[in-house]
Amino acid sequence: MKKLLLSIALTLAIFNLFAQKNGNITGILADSANHKTTLNYSTVSVYKVGDSILSTYKLSDDKGIFKINGLTIGVKYRLVVTAWQYGTYRKEVEITAANPSLNLGTLYLSVKANDLNEVVISGERPPVIVRKDTIEFNAESFKTLPSAVVEDLLKKLPGVAIAADGSIQVNGKAVSKILVDGKEFFGGDQQIATKNLPANIIDKVQVVDDKQAKRRDPDLTAAEIPQIINLKLKKAIKKGAFGKLYAGGGLKDLYQAGGLMNFFRDTTQVSILAYSNNINQPGFNPNDVQRIGGFSRSGVNSMMMTSGGYFEFNGISFGGSYNGVQASSGGGFNFNTLTKKGIKINTQYFFGRSDNLLEKLTNTNQTLGTDRLITNASENTNSLILKHNIGGKLDWQIDSLTQLTIEPAIVLSSNNSVSKVSSSNNNANNQLINTLDNLNDLNTSSNKYQLRADFSKDFKKAGRSFNIGADISATPNPITNYNRSSSIFYLTPSTSEVDQLRNNTIDNFSSYIYSNYTEPISKKLNLKADVSGNIINNENALNTFYRNPANQLYDIVVPDLSQTVKQAGFKTNTNISLGYKVTKDLYLQPGLVHNYISLNNRFTNTADIDQRYNFIWPTFQLKYKIFRFNYSARFTEPNVSYLQPVADNTNAFYIRNGNPNLLPARMQGLSMNMYKYDPKSMINYNLYGYGNFTKNGIVNAITIKDGVQTVNPVNKNGIYNFSGGANISKDFKKDKTSLKVGLGFWANFDHSPVIVNNIESDANVFYVGPNGSIRLNLNDKVEINQSYSVNLNRSRYDDSYYTNISYNTHQSTSELIIRYPKKLVFETSYSLTINDQKIARYNNNIKFWNAALTYLFMKNDRAQLKFSVNDILQSNVRRNIQITGNSVIDTQSNNLGRYGMLTLTYNIQNFGQKVGGRQTFFNF
């Protein structure tokens, strides 16, 4: 009963804390010369009379209106109004019991005169200044702990949201990179800067549009243009070093260690990092590796990140493991400088190594009319991955209107793995159909050589612009696979043995050139032309050899399993459109796109195939206030691996064929979005939706016989999918307490044919996921975070041969942080995943509970001793469920499990003085 009363009291206290029962001030800001011109997004700062400490502030909305709530009755306040290009306005007011709601009417501000003798009161620096294209936050107005880093500062800024993976949004728009004093910091990395730079060295936080992204993609709407955060350092900090070193150990020979050092002086920065651990951790974070490793320059074709800490780019793991047990290490450096001619130069190198043990159980349940194919597989894989990433960037601002960017990159990666798989197939009567023992000794290389260049030119005539660029890449990827398997069939007794070597060399070359030009015809009409071309030269050379019993060498060529496919050609895309500004808020842009594709497919053992296609299709864009709508169309050629007519029999129970007769797919896409941040009510919301319609899309036609599945890719029409969602969040702030409440919803619908045993049916797969979150911060002493989501998964089929599928997944995450007493920090997190898809041998309720206690010591809490316990409840598993075609695939894999770790971290902050006394690391 006491706990219940305490909970009720705490809840009432929280709501009472944010209740608007005190006084408030309202008003309108306008131009003193033109009273109809309101001053939008101007800052109204509130101070107590005689006090220089900021009490609160608000921004005026898009109509110049401001409202400040939560003011104490009987207190005199000083209002300081600042607006871009206007002089500062000051006014003293008092909130009384007789008049708790004070309406100041319209406050008129005068345009700022160019007065060199203007007096600046340092204690009245506004917390936020909104210029034409820049939002600027005064860091000193947002108090943080002595040990705080930039991420802690950003969390306190209005409109700034930091996700669990460290990604940042400002007013609903993604942040593309972080700059320090206008220079790229580890390639513009977000988390290297936010998690390592101390907050107390920051003077201002500036937010601007990523203009280069707009140049590269002129069709980006205002809501889609990513943001850049520029951290302006305090004037006293011009040179020095900072960083951190950490090391920890635990039972079972577990360990972690790493360090990050940054040396800088004026226009030069040098950064070094290294890490090593065997606790499934990535050492730092995905963005570190992405930008340090050069992947932001070389291009990310595929990306996977999970809440369990695992991430990979382009199929290459970079430390951390969602599944399995992993030891990983890595290191690299980053160099930035700005020449006297204003050329920014960046070079970087990263090396990584990961050694992974994966134990996985997979249950695949396929519906086949009155029958079923139930596959149970057990996998054990050891893999060693090595990678080298070399990247660079030259950014030359030739003049105020002209910019040239050149970005070379090299990625060298090897993956050596040995995988043992044992699987069995049963039918609906639980009869054993067959069993398979399979061994794959796989050696692969994933290499990439790339050069990107971009030249952009704006002209003195407003609205006229030109951009041209190129992206040239070569990806030679050899694959060697020693494959041995033994199969036993029971319903029709027989056995089968395979012992072979597959050498598969995949060489892809692409030369992509693009340009766009915009010409204003009148104040309301402009002409846009976008032209791009892509030269394609791909090769897939496959040679298969059986083991020779005489000498035990793999030297017997298998002609039926050997083939070389060469794909050469080019494709072009021309888009002409007219943009018309109907009103101040409404913009229409109709256009026409012409696509042409020419492919020559050459085969060593089959007839050559030439393909020529072109089509003209309308395009359309609409912009109305915060609403954006876009419709477009394009061709996509089939990957050369799909064209390889030779079967992939490395899994004797799942044989994949190619199809040299595949046609290019024609895709039509539409998108819509709305993003809005209301500074007056501190509400952030967005609504988005996407749709794709595909003709000649690729669908896998499956034939099942005696438990063996043979897959053939075929072209099919009638493929379409829709996805979308909505999110809304609101911030409540009262003195040193903040509360953020968020609600969200996402949905996905896929319509695609399913073909099994020549029986075709349309499959409609739905995914629906509402979610909510609450984050409470009590003066940084106590933080409580709670999130919950449910995913509703449904699959429906037109033909009764397939059985409808339904299951739900619930996920809850709770986090508590207590920073009391002063030098101690206690943190704990608990996550629960519940799935109602009941399959034998699988745990449907997976619980993860982690906790840690940190002791802070030395000046400014530079040293931290942390004791943490991972997976206290010893869940020791990971689980994933998905619907594919007519199947439910349920996967369970091993994880590190429970362990304790004692870690010592030392933060180095040595600004404005020599590093290491007389002997410095670098002599600039």
Side-chain angles (χ1 to χ4, degrees):
M1 185 66 180
K2 291 182 179 180
K3 292 183 178 179
L4 178 60
L5 292 175
L6 182 62
S7 300
I8 294 174
L10 179 61
T11 303
L12 291 175
I14 292 173
F15 280 97
N16 182 67
L17 181 67
F18 293 100
Q20 298 177 3
K21 53 191 296 186
N22 294 326
N24 62 76
I25 299 175
T26 59
I28 302 174
L29 305 179
D31 188 304
S32 61
N34 185 354
H35 292 185
K36 293 183 178 181
T37 301
T38 58
L39 306 184
N40 308 333
Y41 306 112
S42 300
T43 307
V44 183
S45 305
V46 181
Y47 303 84
K48 292 181 180 179
V49 172
D51 194 346
S52 62
I53 299 177
L54 179 71
S55 297
T56 187
Y57 76 95
K58 276 294 178 68
L59 296 179
S60 60
D61 63 12
D62 55 3
K63 297 179 181 178
I65 301 172
F66 67 90
K67 183 176 183 180
I68 303 172
N69 295 309
L71 299 177
T72 304
I73 294 176
V75 174
K76 291 184 178 181
Y77 290 101
R78 185 175 76 258
L79 302 186
V80 181
V81 182
T82 50
W84 182 50
Q85 295 183 331
Y86 285 82
T88 303
Y89 180 96
R90 298 178 178 87
K91 184 178 182 64
E92 290 190 5
V93 298
E94 182 178 3
I95 306 296
T96 64
N99 187 19
S101 298
L102 182 60
N103 188 341
L104 300 179
T106 303
L107 306 180
Y108 296 105
L109 276 70
S110 302
V111 175
K112 181 186 295 185
N114 187 17
D115 187 356
L116 298 179
N117 297 318
E118 180 183 5
V119 177
V120 178
I121 302 176
S122 60
E124 290 183 350
R125 282 183 60 186
V128 183
I129 298 176
V130 181
R131 293 186 173 90
K132 183 178 181 181
D133 57 354
T134 304
I135 303 174
E136 183 176 281
F137 299 95
N138 172 23
E140 291 185 352
S141 298
F142 304 90
K143 300 300 180 183
T144 57
L145 296 175
S147 60
V149 293
V150 167
E151 183 177 75
D152 301 309
L153 172 63
L154 294 178
K155 287 179 179 178
K156 293 179 176 293
L157 304 183
V160 178
I162 300 180
D165 63 0
S167 60
I168 305 172
Q169 286 191 336
V170 179
N171 298 336
K173 299 168 69 173
V175 171
S176 59
K177 57 186 173 183
I178 297 259
L179 304 179
V180 177
D181 275 343
K183 300 184 295 292
E184 287 205 359
F185 185 75
F186 265 102
D189 174 76
Q190 296 182 18
Q191 295 187 25
I192 283 287
T194 59
K195 293 182 180 297
N196 294 280
L197 275 171
N200 57 15
I201 71 169
I202 306 301
D203 180 44
K204 301 175 183 176
V205 178
Q206 298 174 328
V207 181
V208 297
D209 286 343
D210 188 341
K211 295 181 179 178
Q212 190 176 65
K214 178 67 174 178
R215 291 190 185 104
R216 287 181 171 174
D217 187 358
D219 292 332
L220 286 177
T221 63
E224 296 170 328
I225 299 174
Q227 304 283 278
I228 294 175
I229 289 180
N230 181 37
L231 304 173
K232 294 285 291 184
L233 301 181
K234 293 180 178 178
K235 291 183 179 180
I237 301 169
K238 290 298 182 183
K239 58 185 177 181
F242 65 91
K244 71 176 181 181
L245 304 171
Y246 69 90
L251 300 177
K252 305 178 186 177
D253 297 324
L254 298 177
Y255 69 91
Q256 63 172 341
L260 169 68
M261 283 299 301
N262 303 270
F263 308 87
F264 62 95
R265 177 176 179 177
D266 299 327
T267 59
T268 301
Q269 299 173 343
V270 178
S271 304
I272 303 172
L273 77 78
Y275 74 91
S276 181
N277 69 70
N278 62 354
I279 56 172
N280 287 14
Q281 296 297 320
F284 292 93
N285 54 72
N287 281 336
D288 301 349
V289 177
Q290 183 181 6
R291 292 184 171 84
I292 297 167
F295 272 84
S296 61
R297 293 155 175 75
S298 62
V300 177
N301 298 321
S302 64
M303 177 171 60
M304 177 186 295
M305 296 185 185
T306 70
S307 58
Y310 170 80
F311 66 94
E312 65 177 41
F313 299 132
N314 295 350
I316 305 171
S317 172
F318 282 85
S321 178
Y322 179 71
N323 299 318
V325 177
Q326 183 187 83
S328 62
S329 58
F333 74 88
N334 188 80
F335 174 82
N336 287 288
T337 191
L338 178 65
T339 69
K340 293 181 179 180
K341 294 184 178 180
I343 301 176
K344 297 178 182 178
I345 298 175
N346 166 261
T347 59
Q348 55 195 309
Y349 167 77
F350 181 81
F351 168 77
R353 172 193 171 106
S354 62
D355 197 338
N356 195 67
L357 170 63
L358 174 64
E359 297 173 348
K360 186 167 66 174
L361 297 174
T362 304
N363 180 289
T364 304
N365 197 325
Q366 296 191 65
T367 60
L368 305 170
T370 57
D371 199 3
R372 286 179 181 266
L373 181 64
I374 303 171
T375 304
N376 289 291
S378 173
E379 176 185 344
N380 184 294
T381 300
N382 282 281
S383 60
L384 174 63
I385 301 174
L386 304 174
K387 61 270 179 184
H388 301 265
N389 298 279
I390 305 169
K393 183 177 182 180
L394 184 150
D395 196 343
W396 183 16
Q397 190 74 41
I398 301 173
D399 54 44
S400 61
L401 300 175
T402 312
Q403 185 174 17
L404 173 66
T405 302
I406 300 175
E407 300 176 78
I410 298 175
V411 179
L412 305 175
S413 177
S414 65
N415 183 354
N416 303 317
S417 66
V418 177
S419 177
K420 298 178 181 179
V421 179
S422 296
S423 62
S424 63
N425 286 309
N426 291 63
N427 59 23
N429 298 321
N430 204 29
Q431 292 178 294
L432 183 62
I433 302 174
N434 51 31
T435 60
L436 170 68
D437 288 316
N438 196 16
L439 173 66
N440 278 295
D441 187 345
L442 187 65
N443 299 299
T444 67
S445 294
S446 299
N447 304 320
K448 187 169 187 176
Y449 306 89
Q450 185 174 40
L451 177 64
R452 294 175 62 183
D454 184 270
F455 176 84
S456 58
K457 173 73 175 178
D458 292 328
F459 296 86
K460 292 183 179 180
K461 183 177 181 180
R464 179 185 293 170
S465 64
F466 174 72
N467 176 240
I468 187 170
D471 186 343
I472 302 171
S473 64
T475 55
N477 298 319
I479 302 171
T480 302
N481 187 359
Y482 295 90
N483 174 238
R484 294 186 290 275
S485 67
S486 176
S487 309
I488 302 176
F489 296 85
Y490 294 94
L491 299 183
T492 304
S494 65
T495 61
S496 177
E497 301 283 342
V498 173
D499 191 353
Q500 65 183 19
L501 165 64
R502 285 171 58 94
N503 280 330
N504 195 187
T505 300
I506 303 173
D507 288 333
N508 294 329
F509 174 84
S510 174
S511 180
Y512 176 67
I513 300 174
Y514 60 90
S515 67
N516 54 73
Y517 177 76
T518 302
E519 175 64 32
I521 299 174
S522 67
K523 291 183 178 180
K524 290 191 173 184
L525 189 66
N526 65 74
L527 174 68
K528 294 187 64 178
D530 301 293
V531 180
S532 63
N534 192 5
I535 299 174
I536 302 168
N537 194 347
N538 303 325
E539 179 176 311
N540 188 320
L542 174 62
N543 294 285
T544 304
F545 306 88
Y546 284 153
R547 186 198 288 261
N548 190 334
N551 56 20
Q552 297 299 306
L553 299 177
Y554 292 91
D555 57 9
I556 302 176
V557 179
V558 187
D560 292 342
L561 296 178
S562 300
Q563 176 82 262
T564 296
V565 180
K566 293 183 178 181
Q567 183 185 68
F570 65 93
K571 58 181 181 179
T572 63
N573 182 295
T574 303
N575 191 349
I576 306 296
S577 60
L578 281 174
Y580 180 61
K581 190 174 184 179
V582 182
T583 65
K584 181 182 71 172
D585 298 321
L586 179 61
Y587 179 81
L588 303 178
Q589 187 177 329
L592 287 175
V593 61
H594 173 255
N595 277 186
Y596 178 76
I597 188 167
S598 173
L599 295 176
N600 302 314
N601 301 310
R602 301 289 182 258
F603 305 88
T604 54
N605 299 332
T606 59
D608 298 337
I609 298 176
D610 294 333
Q611 297 175 323
R612 306 284 186 273
Y613 300 96
N614 70 85
F615 78 101
I616 297 177
W617 207 259
T619 64
F620 182 71
Q621 287 192 55
L622 180 149
K623 305 174 188 178
Y624 180 71
K625 292 185 177 181
I626 63 171
F627 177 78
R628 306 290 185 268
F629 175 83
N630 183 72
Y631 170 80
S632 60
R634 61 188 174 91
F635 264 138
T636 302
E637 73 279 2
N639 189 286
V640 68
S641 61
Y642 279 110
L643 302 176
Q644 177 63 267
V646 175
D648 182 350
N649 64 342
T650 50
N651 183 340
F653 286 175
Y654 193 84
I655 299 173
R656 291 172 295 176
N657 292 324
N659 183 355
N661 297 306
L662 289 175
L663 304 176
R666 190 175 72 186
M667 304 178 67
Q668 302 173 58
L670 54 88
S671 65
M672 59 81 65
N673 58 68
M674 290 194 304
Y675 293 95
K676 177 71 174 180
Y677 175 70
D678 186 350
K680 185 172 67 174
S681 58
M682 300 180 75
I683 293 179
N684 186 11
Y685 62 88
N686 66 72
L687 176 68
Y688 61 92
Y690 305 92
N692 286 290
F693 304 84
T694 304
K695 180 179 180 180
N696 291 327
I698 297 177
V699 174
N700 286 328
I702 302 175
T703 302
I704 302 175
K705 183 178 181 181
D706 295 331
V708 177
Q709 302 182 66
T710 303
V711 179
N712 295 285
V714 296
N715 287 120
K716 284 293 178 180
N717 298 328
I719 301 174
Y720 53 88
N721 65 78
F722 300 97
S723 62
N727 297 281
I728 183 171
S729 64
K730 179 171 175 58
D731 291 315
F732 302 87
K733 291 190 177 182
K734 170 72 173 179
D735 297 328
K736 296 181 180 181
T737 300
S738 64
L739 175 69
K740 182 167 187 170
V741 180
L743 293 173
F745 175 85
W746 68 271
N748 189 84
F749 171 73
D750 285 304
H751 176 92
S752 179
V754 176
I755 308 172
V756 178
N757 290 338
N758 295 321
I759 299 176
E760 182 173 341
S761 174
D762 285 333
N764 298 303
V765 181
F766 305 83
Y767 297 93
V768 180
N771 60 82
S773 64
I774 297 176
R775 185 172 69 198
L776 175 66
N777 186 323
L778 302 172
N779 193 24
D780 279 338
K781 297 290 176 54
V782 178
E783 288 188 39
I784 302 173
N785 302 318
Q786 175 64 52
S787 64
Y788 171 79
S789 65
V790 57
N791 295 334
L792 311 177
N793 308 276
R794 305 289 185 268
S795 185
R796 300 292 181 260
Y797 306 92
D798 294 339
D799 197 290
S800 60
Y801 183 77
Y802 305 98
T803 303
N804 294 335
I805 302 171
S806 300
Y807 70 89
N808 304 323
T809 302
H810 302 261
Q811 292 181 314
S812 172
T813 301
S814 307
E815 183 181 31
L816 171 66
I817 303 174
I818 301 176
R819 299 183 180 92
Y820 187 85
K822 189 174 181 180
K823 295 293 182 178
L824 290 178
V825 178
F826 171 75
E827 52 190 320
T828 183
S829 63
Y830 178 80
S831 63
L832 173 64
T833 302
I834 301 175
N835 193 289
D836 62 12
Q837 180 70 25
K838 296 178 174 58
I839 297 180
R841 302 189 299 166
Y842 286 76
N843 180 10
N844 287 333
N845 299 330
I846 299 178
K847 307 171 185 177
F848 280 98
W849 181 22
N850 302 326
L853 181 65
T854 303
Y855 172 63
L856 311 175
F857 59 102
M858 298 186 68
K859 185 179 180 180
N860 290 332
D861 299 333
R862 290 185 179 181
Q864 304 169 10
L865 185 64
K866 180 177 183 178
F867 175 69
S868 58
V869 181
N870 179 77
D871 196 5
I872 297 173
L873 302 178
Q874 189 70 352
S875 295
N876 201 33
V877 293
R878 298 288 185 183
R879 189 179 182 202
N880 179 62
I881 300 177
Q882 63 182 20
I883 298 174
T884 301
N886 63 323
S887 306
V888 176
I889 303 174
D890 202 327
T891 304
Q892 178 177 290
S893 59
N894 67 319
N895 195 252
L896 195 58
R898 182 195 300 143
Y899 68 86
M901 181 71 60
L902 186 66
T903 305
L904 176 65
T905 301
Y906 179 71
N907 294 289
I908 301 170
Q909 299 174 14
N910 185 22
F911 295 98
Q913 53 185 302
K914 290 184 178 181
V915 180
R918 180 178 297 179
Q919 301 296 324
T920 61
F921 284 94
F922 293 91
N923 295 309
F924 291 131

